[in-house]
């Protein structure tokens, strides 16, 4: 009899059904650990599988704020990195901070954030789309692989991040090009964001707005994939070894910093190629394909010095930015869920 009851209990667990009270399943209540989202684990009609519009709006708002705070915090370092990426100057920490200092002396403190308005125009929609798309891809892949309400396994987790980054980059790329142009040119050349769009359209053609898109896409797949994968994996491990406790904000910052370090290191050479292609029209470098730009950098500056120029600066700003971004998104999501309830 006990064997028969155990078999029934096992079959109920496999099929996802709960034992009705009084049936004597032999399992104490609460001995089986519930999934992260008990509602998501129950079989639901197809019509209810769509995300609540409020959840989508919450993800968009949280992602937009996360991206804005993260990029504003590291804008001076980001601008310095771009200037070195698109020039033939040798990078060193001393030269980078010298550039920051002379920019401050010659153009004023706020000039360190030159191009940040263009960055915000790009980053706010980019981050909003990326985080919201990531939540949607996690839901879709979780349903497809049968992990509804639970942490995704490594493969789908990596895929969800890569798809989210690809979606966001595809929809906001022209804004990234405009931001790069504003970061490396004097004030006299472009007065504002709209001026950049107008001049590029008239002088170089509309196709130029997507020049460098291919290396961007090739770079964002490992970057976004590894960043989201690392962050979600570290949160999952924390949940496992802390008995389900939510990470503190500083722990989320550390997880995000690790994610940024791994993601940016993996995709950095393509980031250098992308920047060189984006600014070819204003820096004197010839306009070329990905391979042509890559060969030119290696020939003139060497493989390591050229393709990894400014990486140490990225190791400083990248973990800070990604840590702030992921932490802000998570905390905003928690706050908005609390307000909704």
């Amino acid at each position: 009899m006990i064997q028969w009851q155990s078999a029934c209990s096992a079959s109920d667990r496999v099929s996802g059904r709960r034992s009705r009270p009084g049936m004597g399943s032999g399992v104490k209540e609460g001995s089986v650990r519930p999934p992260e989202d008990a509602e998501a684990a129950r079989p639901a009609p197809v019509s209810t599988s769509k995300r609540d519009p409020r959840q989508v709006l919450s993800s968009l708002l949280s992602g937009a704020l996360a991206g804005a705070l993260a990029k504003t915090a590291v804008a001076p370092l980001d601008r310095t990195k771009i200037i070195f990426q698109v020039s033939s100057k040798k990078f060193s920490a001393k030269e980078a901070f010298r550039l920051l200092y002379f920019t401050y002396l010659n153009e004023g403190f706020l000039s360190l954030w030159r191009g940040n308005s263009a960055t915000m125009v790009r980053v706010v929609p980019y981050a909003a789309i990326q985080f919201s798309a990531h939540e949607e891809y996690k839901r879709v892949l979780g349903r497809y692989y049968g992990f509804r309400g639970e942490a995704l396994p490594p493969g789908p987790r990596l895929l969800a991040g890569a798809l989210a980054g690809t979606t966001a980059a595809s929809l906001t790329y022209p804004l990234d090009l405009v931001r790069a142009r504003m970061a490396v040119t004097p004030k006299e050349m472009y007065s504002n964001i709209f001026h950049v769009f107008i001049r590029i359209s008239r002088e170089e053609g509309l196709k130029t707005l997507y020049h460098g898109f291919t290396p961007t896409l090739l770079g964002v797949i490992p970057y976004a994939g590894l960043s989201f994968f690392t962050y979600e994996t570290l949160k999952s491990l924390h949940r496992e070894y802390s008995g389900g406790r939510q990470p503190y904000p500083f722990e989320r910052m550390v997880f995000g910093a690790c994610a940024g370090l791994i993601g940016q290191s993996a995709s950095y050479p393509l980031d250098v190629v992308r920047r060189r292609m984006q600014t070819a029209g204003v820096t004197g470098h010839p306009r070329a394909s990905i391979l042509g730009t890559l060969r030119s950098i290696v020939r003139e500056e060497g493989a390591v010095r050229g393709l990894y120029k400014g990486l140490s600066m990225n190791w400083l700003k990248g973990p800070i930015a990604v840590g702030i971004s992921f932490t802000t998104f998570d905390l905003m999501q928690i706050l908005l869920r609390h307000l909704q309830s």
Side-chain angles (χ1 to χ4, degrees):
M1 180 66 178
I2 293 173
Q3 290 177 347
W4 180 83
Q5 287 176 336
S6 300
C8 287
S9 176
S11 66
D12 282 346
R13 286 197 299 271
V14 171
S15 62
R17 295 192 302 269
R18 291 183 179 178
S19 299
R20 286 174 290 184
M23 290 298 292
S25 65
V27 179
K28 291 182 179 180
E29 185 178 352
S31 63
V32 178
R33 187 179 177 183
E36 292 173 28
D37 186 352
E39 289 299 320
R42 293 178 187 170
V46 176
S47 61
T48 61
S49 63
K50 293 181 180 179
R51 284 178 76 192
D52 187 331
R54 288 180 300 177
Q55 292 178 330
V56 177
L57 185 60
S58 171
S59 297
L60 289 170
L61 180 61
S62 301
L65 181 62
L69 287 178
K71 280 296 183 181
T72 301
V74 298
L77 297 176
D78 206 25
R79 181 174 185 261
T80 302
K81 181 203 72 172
I82 292 173
I83 291 172
F84 275 98
Q85 282 182 328
V86 302
S87 70
S88 299
K89 295 178 183 177
K90 289 185 178 180
F91 176 85
S92 68
K94 183 179 178 181
E95 287 298 320
F97 285 106
R98 181 180 293 176
L99 176 62
L100 282 169
Y101 179 66
F102 279 110
T103 302
Y104 162 70
L105 285 181
N106 297 328
E107 302 179 42
F109 180 70
L110 292 179
S111 67
L112 296 174
W113 276 265
R114 174 165 166 72
N116 196 49
S117 58
T119 301
M120 289 300 101
V121 171
R122 179 191 73 92
V123 161
V124 167
Y126 180 91
I129 293 168
Q130 180 174 243
F131 278 107
S132 183
H134 182 247
E135 294 298 306
E136 182 66 16
Y137 286 127
K138 280 200 303 182
R139 185 186 67 81
V140 171
L141 290 171
R143 190 175 60 194
Y144 180 79
Y145 286 100
F147 286 89
R148 295 177 65 188
E150 299 179 7
L152 288 173
R157 194 181 303 166
L158 184 67
L159 181 59
L163 288 172
T166 300
T167 302
S170 300
L171 295 175
T172 62
Y173 182 77
L175 295 170
D176 186 40
L177 184 139
V178 167
R179 174 253 184 164
R181 287 287 182 96
M182 289 190 73
V184 301
T185 54
K187 294 178 183 178
E188 297 76 23
M189 188 163 187
Y190 298 119
S191 57
N192 54 51
I193 299 168
F194 299 107
H195 190 206
V196 184
F197 274 111
I198 292 168
R199 282 196 61 174
I200 289 175
S201 301
R202 286 178 180 173
E203 298 172 11
E204 303 174 54
L206 286 173
K207 286 198 300 185
T208 304
L209 291 173
Y210 271 88
H211 191 64
F213 177 64
T214 304
T216 297
L217 210 55
L218 293 175
V220 83
I221 290 171
Y223 171 67
L226 287 170
S227 295
F228 278 106
F229 171 81
T230 303
Y231 186 68
E232 293 288 327
T233 299
L234 290 174
K235 282 204 304 182
S236 181
L237 290 171
H238 176 275
R239 190 162 49 243
E240 181 181 341
Y241 287 103
S242 67
R245 176 178 67 80
Q246 286 288 332
Y248 294 120
F250 79 88
E251 291 174 322
R252 295 179 192 274
M253 281 285 292
V254 172
F255 298 161
C258 293
L261 195 65
I262 293 170
Q264 293 192 344
S265 298
S267 61
Y268 194 78
L270 285 164
D271 189 44
V272 175
V273 172
R274 168 177 70 117
R275 292 301 184 198
R276 188 68 66 90
M277 292 178 72
Q278 285 178 336
T279 59
V282 294
T283 56
H285 293 290
R287 199 179 295 280
S289 63
I290 299 174
L291 290 177
T293 305
L294 194 63
R295 280 196 296 264
S296 174
I297 293 171
V298 172
R299 184 175 61 251
E300 294 174 10
E301 303 172 54
V304 176
R305 282 185 178 275
L307 295 176
Y308 287 91
K309 182 166 55 175
L311 179 59
S312 56
M313 177 72 79
N314 236 37
W315 282 343
L316 174 62
K317 79 170 191 67
I320 295 172
V322 179
I324 291 172
S325 182
F326 278 125
T327 303
T328 303
F329 178 79
D330 277 357
L331 296 181
M332 276 295 295
Q333 287 286 86
I334 292 169
L335 175 63
L336 290 172
R337 278 198 298 268
H338 178 71
L339 291 175
Q340 287 174 6
S341 63

